[in-house]
Amino acid sequence: MSEDNHVGRADLLSPVLGETGPPEPLFSTRAEFLTAFFGGPFAILLLSGMNANFLGRLKPDLWRYVLGTAASVFVVSFLAWLRAADPPPAWYIDVAGDQARQAVRWISRLFALVLWFLLWLPYRRYHKAAEVMGLGNRNPWKAAIASVVFGMFVLFLIGLNVAFAVQGAS
Amino acid sequence: MTDVGLLRQQIALLIERKRYGDAGRLLSEAISSEPEDPGFKLLAARLGIATADYRSARDNLEAALAQHPDNAEARQLMFELLCETGQFVEAEQTIIGLLHDYPEEAYFYALYAALMLKTLHIDKAAALAREGLRLDPTSSLSQVISLMVDVIEDRSHDASRRLEELVRENPDALHVAWSVVLVLQSRHRYAEALQVLRGIFRSVPDDKEAVAALIEMRVLSHWSMLPLTPLQRYGWVGSGVLWAVAVLSVFLADRFAPQITSSLVVFYLGYVVYSWLWPPMLKRWLSARGF
Amino acid sequence: MSETIEELAEILLRDPFDTQARARYADALYEAGDWQAGLEQYRLLCRQEPTAAAGFLGAARSLVKLEDLAAARIEYDKATDCGDFEPQDDLEIALKDGPAPALRVVGGRAVPRSEDADIVRISSARTTRFVDIVGMEDLKKTVRLRIIDPFLKPGLFAKFKKRAGGGLLLYGPPGCGKTLLARAIANECDATFIHVGISDVLSMWIGASEQNLRAMFDKARAHRPSVLFFDELDALAYSRSKAQSDHTRSTVNEFLNQLDGMAGENEQVLILAATNMPWDVDPAMKRPGRFDRSIFVPPPDAAARAEMFRAKLVGVPTKRLDYQKLGESSAYASGADIDGIIEEAKDRVLADIMEGGEDRALTQDDLLAAIRDFEPSTMDWLRTARNLVKYGGADKSYKDVEAYLKTARL
């Protein structure tokens, strides 16, 4: 279902549905938000990627997901290091105070929501179009739960690696 | 007009008035006396589409197209049938074929634009609707599609201008009223949208979509939804921002005014619970009780 | 000169356009009792000479013989449009008490009709009065007070600045007696009843609908006091906001003109209309001076249903039936539904007998079982009406329905 933003008059009568097959309903914005909130950045990368695929935009937008994955690995590793470091860095204690451990969780979640927003924004028009046209949404439960489990597992793996690395270093 | 022509007109008007039983009886009489008449086959197809009897519609259309493969009405009906049955790829081929044969027909561009919007090809839908309007500036379907694109793209000024044109040209048409609702809703003017929706509903009380839209709009415009305005207006982005603000304020309160932290947490949790539980409860209550 | 059928056939073989020979050939076939062949010849004659009444009259006579009175009436009506038409007593008598034309293929103009075609005088043997209508007591009382008395005593009501005539819309679920009530109103008003049914509406859609409609109103004015009854108003005055065709707009505009004209020009003309779908009627029709009064005709109540069971089971072998119980058990059923219930119960009895049981009469249990398996046809309508009342807002057009739904606990 990929399309360029500007359709010239010459392209008006070129078929587009034959290339990508008939359209498929999307996971709703709500499903994406909650997946990001509970599952973290990797969960939303997965679910949003599925939506991009349904829209036929995964290939042209792959760079977003590669960039998002790289940023997620970096941020999650950094946060895992903050949590694993004993004692945490002084600048962090200065900022977070008594909430140092909890703040890591909040920042992680905030990052996941920001990532969701950045991934969702280019597709917002499609979600709105689906709403305006009354197209309905795909049932998100299975995919969202799978994404959350996947996201948590990746977080756990990164956390474990970082913890071993911190332990090894000390 | 010949007797057959008059009869076709009668049947078409019966279908327009949703008198499908009467139309069906007349059609079966007509087809039994004129079995080869393609006009009756097209009417039977139209009736089949209107009554969701898609098999009969397809049979009649195929028979009509076998006799007259170039018949524009039959091809247009085939397009409508394919859209109704979700065969969008075939529908696109059909409408493109029609446009190749009738490149100046604005209505066909509008139909293609509607298909593109339904399949989320927004830019192409916009371009097709533009072409439709270039060929016929009064084409109401092209105008409605353009208006929908404007709403989707958040171009509220353009949407309002287009709506004015629609209302000026066809003030009492049902599709114009739906367009008004769409624009009002996109501007978060729920109370006004509710009034227009009520007018629509009174003329189509048997339309389940109208009932659902009306209840939804009543929920949105209810006074008890006022505290949820930020969420209504900004959707899930608003929810995310509210969460971030809440976390930050609790964090700051904990550091600089710990005595208000627990009140802040309770308030925030209460708001979250309210935003989750109240709208569905209100919807159920209003559906059961009426308004 | 009297020719045989064979000779006439030969003449026509040589010259198929000899209309006089065709007329004689058709007459000969008719006289010989071959009405079907005669009918075909008369119809050919109609095509060859569409402005002459003879062909249509011959077709009408053939159809009377073939017992298709509705079609015969249409042919006779077509004859009335011809310049050389003269009323035919035999056909007038034969068609007077025939059934109203059923829905059928209509070609050509059917309206305006002959002066008295389709008009049922109060003295006719087919009169229906309020006493003939089972149940609906409150409704009859309301109609008498709001419609019939002002019509019969215009002087008294004029004193209080209440006008007689005008428009009244009867609405409600299908099969609940709206048409019967309209007929009874006309008879109670001691007025000429002009019935415009769906087949007339179909005819009106052909050609100059506006002229046809105007002719209908003119006929009502000419026969004062009269009741002009539009059955299935939604078909004729379909909401312009939903219609795609220009035809609908022009017909509704003319209808509105005629209704507006009625107020000034015509006293003692009551315009009744009935519809199952009042929401499909153009809203402008319901504005003051037009169909500004509307009456909800609900499904029959329990007593009326009991009475219907009693009436419809006359002559059927039955055993110890409790009609009151049957009426109570068949909530929301229309007259047509009760027919369906009885037929279903009869099928059960016949199935029992065919399966080797003894001959037996229809019992209470058969009827109750049929009622249990039956979904009243009024339910869809009542559900829609409930939605209207619940979500329709401050519009009080449906307050009668609201009251009914409350009492019926729907």
Side-chain angles (χ1 to χ4, degrees):
Chain A
M1 209 177 304
S2 65
E3 57 174 351
D4 296 327
N5 279 346
H6 298 289
V7 179
R9 280 193 62 204
D11 299 329
L12 280 182
L13 301 188
S14 320
V16 291
L17 297 180
E19 302 161 10
T20 55
E24 298 195 52
L26 304 176
F27 294 119
S28 65
T29 303
R30 173 197 177 113
E32 283 192 356
F33 177 86
L34 293 176
T35 302
F37 192 84
F38 292 112
F42 297 104
I44 189 55
L45 276 166
L46 184 61
L47 196 78
S48 174
M50 288 188 218
N51 260 351
N53 189 39
F54 296 142
L55 283 166
R57 293 205 60 90
L58 189 56
K59 217 171 162 185
D61 291 346
L62 198 61
W63 62 273
R64 290 180 210 273
Y65 291 91
V66 173
L67 209 64
T69 307
S72 298
V73 170
F74 175 74
V75 171
V76 168
S77 303
F78 176 69
L79 290 174
W81 173 73
L82 276 183
R83 189 186 291 205
D86 195 18
W91 62 266
Y92 180 60
I93 299 285
D94 281 349
V95 176
D98 297 343
Q99 305 282 338
R101 299 258 168 228
Q102 268 185 318
V104 169
R105 246 189 10 242
W106 289 343
I107 295 165
S108 166
R109 185 160 286 168
L110 187 64
F111 172 71
L113 290 180
V114 170
L115 185 65
W116 160 73
F117 179 72
L118 293 175
L119 292 173
W120 169 83
L121 198 61
Y123 300 149
R124 178 175 169 270
R125 60 205 298 257
Y126 298 107
H127 286 283
K128 202 160 178 188
E131 190 189 321
V132 166
M133 296 301 288
L135 300 182
N137 290 115
R138 180 179 288 272
N139 186 337
W141 283 101
K142 280 184 191 165
I145 289 171
S147 300
V148 168
V149 170
F150 167 78
M152 303 289 256
F153 181 65
V154 176
L155 287 179
F156 171 74
L157 280 184
I158 293 175
L160 208 62
N161 267 330
V162 171
F164 279 134
V166 168
Q167 259 183 357
S170 62
Chain B
M1 209 186 281
T2 61
D3 272 7
V4 170
L6 294 171
L7 186 56
R8 282 195 206 132
Q9 182 179 326
Q10 288 175 331
I11 296 168
L13 285 168
L14 281 170
I15 294 172
E16 183 187 72
R17 283 152 173 73
K18 293 184 283 178
R19 299 188 154 266
Y20 303 131
D22 292 337
R25 275 190 290 279
L26 269 188
L27 255 176
S28 57
E29 267 189 65
I31 287 175
S32 64
S33 64
E34 300 276 349
E36 293 308 311
D37 186 287
F40 291 135
K41 289 197 181 98
L42 295 186
L43 284 166
R46 199 176 284 283
L47 182 65
I49 293 172
T51 55
D53 183 358
Y54 299 130
R55 179 181 285 265
S56 146
R58 180 177 275 275
D59 289 347
N60 279 295
L61 279 176
E62 281 171 353
L65 283 169
Q67 275 177 287
H68 303 283
D70 295 331
N71 185 307
E73 192 188 347
R75 290 159 76 192
Q76 185 196 321
L77 277 172
M78 184 58 97
F79 167 77
E80 286 174 25
L81 175 67
L82 291 167
C83 286
E84 287 289 331
T85 52
Q87 294 163 277
F88 297 125
V89 178
E90 294 86 343
E92 188 184 31
Q93 285 160 4
T94 309
I95 196 74
I96 287 175
L98 268 171
L99 279 166
H100 276 300
D101 294 347
Y102 302 91
E104 299 298 309
E105 186 52 70
Y107 185 63
F108 292 156
Y109 280 98
L111 285 178
Y112 191 13
L115 172 66
M116 287 295 98
L117 204 49
K118 207 171 178 179
T119 53
L120 304 182
H121 289 83
I122 302 164
D123 295 324
K124 184 151 184 181
L128 285 163
R130 253 196 318 274
E131 184 64 8
L133 283 172
R134 189 185 67 78
L135 293 167
D136 176 9
T138 63
S139 160
S140 59
L141 184 57
S142 297
Q143 279 176 334
V144 169
I145 302 285
S146 297
L147 182 141
M148 284 173 149
V149 173
D150 289 338
V151 168
I152 288 165
E153 303 285 19
D154 275 339
R155 294 192 295 256
S156 67
H157 181 72
D158 290 348
S160 300
R161 187 177 48 78
R162 231 175 267 286
L163 185 62
E164 276 170 25
E165 275 171 36
L166 268 171
V167 171
R168 196 170 43 242
E169 280 161 22
N170 219 345
D172 56 356
L174 217 49
H175 67 269
V176 175
W178 277 109
S179 304
V180 172
V181 171
L182 184 65
V183 171
L184 287 172
Q185 190 177 3
S186 73
R187 292 175 154 206
H188 311 284
R189 288 161 63 177
Y190 302 124
E192 289 150 291
L194 177 70
Q195 288 313 312
V196 181
L197 252 178
R198 270 197 164 134
I200 294 174
F201 169 71
R202 279 190 215 118
S203 69
V204 285
D206 44 356
D207 181 344
K208 285 184 183 138
E209 275 179 32
V211 177
L214 187 67
I215 293 171
E216 200 66 49
M217 199 59 72
R218 181 66 191 103
V219 170
L220 288 174
S221 60
H222 197 264
W223 61 266
S224 65
M225 293 292 283
L226 217 59
L228 304 180
T229 304
L231 304 186
Q232 280 183 6
R233 190 168 265 270
Y234 301 107
W236 289 97
V237 177
S239 297
V241 171
L242 265 181
W243 174 82
V245 168
V247 167
L248 190 67
S249 26
V250 169
F251 179 75
L252 291 175
D254 202 40
R255 289 204 74 176
F256 303 111
Q259 69 278 10
I260 63 160
T261 308
S262 53
S263 309
L264 211 58
V265 168
V266 167
F267 172 77
Y268 175 67
L269 286 178
Y271 187 78
V272 168
V273 169
Y274 183 78
S275 72
W276 271 84
L277 297 184
W278 180 240
M281 279 168 66
L282 180 65
K283 189 173 172 178
R284 279 184 178 219
W285 186 60
L286 288 171
S287 304
R289 191 184 139 271
F291 45 84
Chain C
M1 185 179 71
S2 70
E3 301 128 309
T4 64
I5 290 176
E6 289 75 20
E7 284 167 347
L8 285 165
E10 272 192 32
I11 295 172
L12 284 170
L13 268 177
R14 284 197 300 275
D15 181 6
F17 300 101
D18 184 345
T19 51
Q20 288 183 357
R22 191 170 298 284
R24 291 201 300 281
Y25 181 50
D27 288 342
L29 287 169
Y30 177 86
E31 294 300 331
D34 192 351
W35 300 309
Q36 188 62 47
L39 176 64
E40 281 162 22
Q41 292 304 317
Y42 283 125
R43 284 198 163 142
L44 279 172
L45 189 61
C46 293
R47 269 193 229 165
Q48 289 175 324
E49 285 194 321
T51 55
F56 295 110
L57 291 173
R61 284 200 178 87
S62 305
L63 285 162
V64 168
K65 291 287 185 192
L66 292 166
E67 297 183 352
D68 189 349
L69 293 185
R73 184 182 296 199
I74 288 167
E75 295 297 336
Y76 188 65
D77 287 340
K78 286 178 187 168
T80 61
D81 290 343
C82 300
D84 59 346
F85 171 75
E86 282 179 18
Q88 306 287 310
D89 288 344
D90 60 326
L91 282 172
E92 299 262 340
I93 292 164
L95 296 176
K96 189 176 179 185
D97 291 331
L103 188 63
R104 53 174 296 111
V105 179
V106 184
R109 266 176 4 129
V111 211
R113 301 186 160 183
S114 64
E115 271 300 282
D116 288 329
D118 233 13
I119 297 178
V120 181
R121 276 260 163 214
I122 206 74
S123 55
S124 151
R126 295 198 302 170
T127 56
T128 305
R129 302 195 79 97
F130 274 2
V131 287
D132 303 318
I133 298 177
V134 178
M136 297 192 189
E137 293 312 323
D138 290 343
L139 190 64
K140 286 189 259 184
K141 207 182 286 176
T142 309
V143 169
R144 191 171 288 287
L145 186 70
R146 286 172 59 186
I147 311 296
I148 297 168
D149 287 346
F151 199 81
L152 290 175
K153 300 164 192 162
L156 173 66
F157 281 77
K159 255 195 238 172
F160 292 91
K161 305 241 178 207
K162 296 276 279 183
R163 65 188 170 81
L168 169 73
L169 178 64
L170 302 169
Y171 69 96
C176 293
K178 292 184 287 295
T179 307
L180 192 69
L181 186 67
R183 212 171 266 282
I185 290 172
N187 288 323
E188 294 290 336
C189 287
D190 201 19
T192 306
F193 185 63
I194 302 168
H195 179 272
V196 184
I198 184 74
S199 55
D200 303 283
V201 172
L202 281 174
S203 310
M204 273 195 220
W205 287 344
I206 295 167
S209 316
E210 295 92 328
Q211 284 172 24
N212 295 337
L213 191 61
R214 207 174 307 138
M216 212 46 111
F217 275 87
D218 286 343
K219 190 150 62 170
R221 288 166 191 146
H223 286 84
R224 281 180 292 186
S226 61
V227 171
L228 178 54
F229 175 54
F230 292 94
D231 209 350
E232 321 230 25
L233 180 69
D234 51 294
L236 192 57
Y238 190 64
S239 175
R240 285 168 292 180
S241 64
K242 298 180 192 175
Q244 308 287 326
S245 59
D246 292 339
H247 188 279
T248 303
R249 285 181 177 274
S250 56
T251 309
V252 173
N253 288 342
E254 179 59 28
F255 207 147
L256 294 174
N257 281 343
Q258 289 299 323
L259 286 173
D260 292 343
M262 296 301 282
E265 293 169 25
N266 300 282
E267 285 295 313
Q268 291 289 294
V269 177
L270 176 64
I271 309 161
L272 293 184
T275 178
N276 300 337
M277 286 174 283
W279 41 85
D280 279 345
V281 174
D282 193 278
M285 301 295 286
K286 298 176 195 167
R287 295 206 183 115
R290 297 166 184 169
F291 289 104
D292 50 357
R293 291 169 294 176
S294 55
I295 288 182
F296 171 55
V297 181
D301 55 23
R305 291 193 298 272
E307 204 47 49
M308 282 184 197
F309 274 111
R310 192 190 304 278
K312 289 172 193 282
L313 286 167
V314 169
V316 178
T318 56
K319 196 169 140 193
R320 287 197 296 277
L321 294 185
D322 179 351
Y323 290 110
Q324 197 183 332
K325 176 92 190 289
L326 289 174
E328 284 162 6
S329 310
S330 54
Y332 317 120
S334 68
D337 291 337
I338 289 173
D339 285 333
I341 290 168
I342 292 172
E343 287 310 307
E344 170 65 24
K346 282 179 188 169
D347 286 346
R348 282 164 195 263
V349 176
L350 288 170
D352 271 4
I353 295 170
M354 301 292 272
E355 278 171 22
E358 290 175 12
D359 272 13
R360 67 176 181 88
L362 193 69
T363 64
Q364 180 86 358
D365 286 345
D366 294 321
L367 286 161
L368 288 175
I371 289 170
R372 269 196 299 278
D373 293 348
F374 206 80
E375 161 92 358
S377 62
T378 57
M379 287 313 286
D380 273 347
W381 194 97
L382 290 170
R383 279 188 206 113
T384 300
R386 186 184 55 192
N387 280 349
L388 256 177
V389 168
K390 270 169 84 173
Y391 313 129
D395 181 17
K396 288 292 164 198
S397 321
Y398 297 100
K399 60 181 188 302
D400 295 346
V401 183
E402 191 173 359
Y404 172 78
L405 292 172
K406 263 184 195 155
T407 53
R409 293 186 184 163
L410 273 169

